[in-house]
Amino acid sequence: MTRIAHISDLHFGRTDVELLNPLLAAVNGARPDLVAVTGDFTQRARVSQYREARAFLDRLEAPWMAVPGNHDVSLDNLWMRFIRPYKRYREHICNDLFPTFRGAGIVAVGLNTVDRYRWQRGKVRWFQLRQACRIFGESEGTKLVLAHHPFEQDADVKKSLMRGANKAIEQLSDCGAHVVLSGHLHRWRAEPFLSRKNRSQVLQVHVGTGLSTRLRGQENDFALLDVAQDEVAVTRMIARDGAFAEAGVRRFVYGDEGWKERRDTMSAEPAGTVRDPAALRH
């Protein structure tokens, strides 16, 4: 069993400071094998905000991997945005814009979906997609993709879907991707992809914001994924009363028809039941 903590949209520069220590305590207390951070470390890509983000990462006790978000390139410094958009991200977070991680039973790749020419809408970089597919083709185990922008979103979302998203998720499915982790929308979603020719072959988990005050009708949250062979348990952890507490578990099993939810084993506990995250590991 491999445990992944998935956090996103920290937005240092516009955070709820009272949640910083509780988030770190919850993530470290869950004892993950990997922390996956899907972008928007900062609010305006300023040096002071990047320093806060880096200080947060340095307090994580597990290995971590990350991809940038659209807020991680400057909005008001046009020279930096168009000429050196990732300079501060590379200096403070990670120099690698195509990170990879290999652990017991998993392989994860990170895609940079930021488009310097668009403020919010992302784009697929096809050379990175080809690299990901090559790695997946050479690997065993559960194959995960990290991306800031989602490859599918609900009809009521006002933001434009990332350019090339539909074709890209088809390609990822064809080359064996199992799970996509994303953020950007500040809302929770955990279910197989729906708008695809091969339904349910890829499981999507996108989380809301871990720390930002820019809530879109949902709580601050993050996810814990317990990954075993052909099975993933997704636990939503939400901020409540100054701490992060479990708000339900969904279990998915991979078979001939892709991912199916095991409704007979869903958590019967009410949403928000407080449990020790470490006790969730099987």
Side-chain angles (χ1 to χ4, degrees):
M1 180 79 70
T2 299
R3 168 164 286 184
I4 300 167
H6 174 205
I7 59 180
S8 194
D9 295 82
L10 298 171
H11 287 284
F12 282 98
R14 190 169 177 176
T15 59
D16 183 342
V17 294
E18 294 184 356
L19 289 181
L20 177 60
N21 287 332
L23 178 59
L24 282 163
V27 172
N28 289 335
R31 299 197 297 272
D33 301 289
L34 173 68
V35 180
V37 192
T38 52
D40 277 2
F41 285 88
T42 68
Q43 181 65 16
R44 284 291 180 263
R46 293 176 181 145
V47 171
S48 61
Q49 296 169 4
Y50 268 119
R51 286 174 177 163
E52 290 182 82
R54 183 69 214 195
F56 173 88
L57 292 174
D58 289 343
R59 293 177 65 187
L60 294 174
E61 297 171 359
W64 57 265
M65 66 180 294
V67 293
N70 58 292
H71 279 261
D72 295 325
V73 296
S74 181
L75 177 64
D76 45 14
N77 185 329
L78 296 183
W79 186 89
M80 286 201 67
R81 181 173 185 85
F82 295 119
I83 306 302
R84 303 190 70 182
Y86 306 109
K87 178 179 183 293
R88 290 174 179 172
Y89 179 87
R90 288 180 182 275
E91 289 177 345
H92 294 277
I93 305 299
C94 182
N95 189 47
D96 191 351
L97 296 178
F98 182 75
T100 61
F101 177 88
R102 296 178 185 273
I106 69 165
V107 57
V109 301
L111 304 181
N112 174 19
T113 59
V114 176
D115 185 350
R116 76 183 77 178
Y117 302 108
R118 300 287 186 272
W119 168 231
Q120 288 191 338
R121 190 179 188 187
K123 70 175 184 179
V124 175
R125 287 170 169 79
W126 297 104
F127 69 93
Q128 286 197 344
L129 205 63
R130 288 192 293 270
Q131 286 180 284
C133 285
R134 177 184 57 79
I135 291 171
F136 289 161
E138 299 169 351
S139 306
E140 300 293 332
T142 303
K143 299 159 188 175
L144 301 99
V145 174
L146 278 66
H148 178 64
H149 296 83
F151 292 81
E152 182 179 81
Q153 57 195 38
D154 294 322
D156 66 330
V157 173
K158 295 181 180 179
K159 293 182 178 180
S160 298
L161 184 64
M162 175 170 59
R163 285 190 297 158
N166 290 328
K167 182 179 178 182
I169 196 61
E170 298 287 354
Q171 186 169 335
L172 285 170
S173 175
D174 290 342
C175 70
H178 295 112
V179 182
V180 170
L181 308 179
S182 58
H184 185 56
L185 301 180
H186 292 208
R187 63 163 70 185
W188 172 268
R189 189 175 189 180
E191 62 186 14
F193 281 89
L194 299 177
S195 58
R196 302 175 41 258
K197 61 182 180 182
N198 299 318
R199 295 171 64 89
S200 305
Q201 297 299 309
V202 183
L203 179 67
Q204 59 179 320
V205 179
H206 58 245
V207 295
T209 168
L211 292 174
S212 177
T213 58
R214 299 177 68 206
L215 300 174
R216 306 233 170 90
Q218 296 188 9
E219 301 93 341
N220 294 92
D221 69 12
F222 73 96
L224 295 173
L225 288 81
D226 288 302
V227 181
Q229 184 176 8
D230 300 328
E231 185 168 352
V232 175
V234 182
T235 302
R236 187 184 185 204
M237 303 292 293
I238 66 168
R240 181 169 295 174
D241 298 326
F244 281 83
E246 179 191 334
V249 184
R250 299 181 67 182
R251 292 179 171 85
F252 300 88
V253 179
Y254 191 85
D256 293 338
E257 297 181 357
W259 291 102
K260 299 291 184 183
E261 186 168 6
R262 289 183 58 182
R263 297 186 179 276
D264 58 314
T265 60
M266 289 178 61
S267 172
E269 296 172 342
T273 299
V274 179
R275 291 171 57 188
D276 179 358
L280 300 172
R281 188 189 290 268
H282 300 293

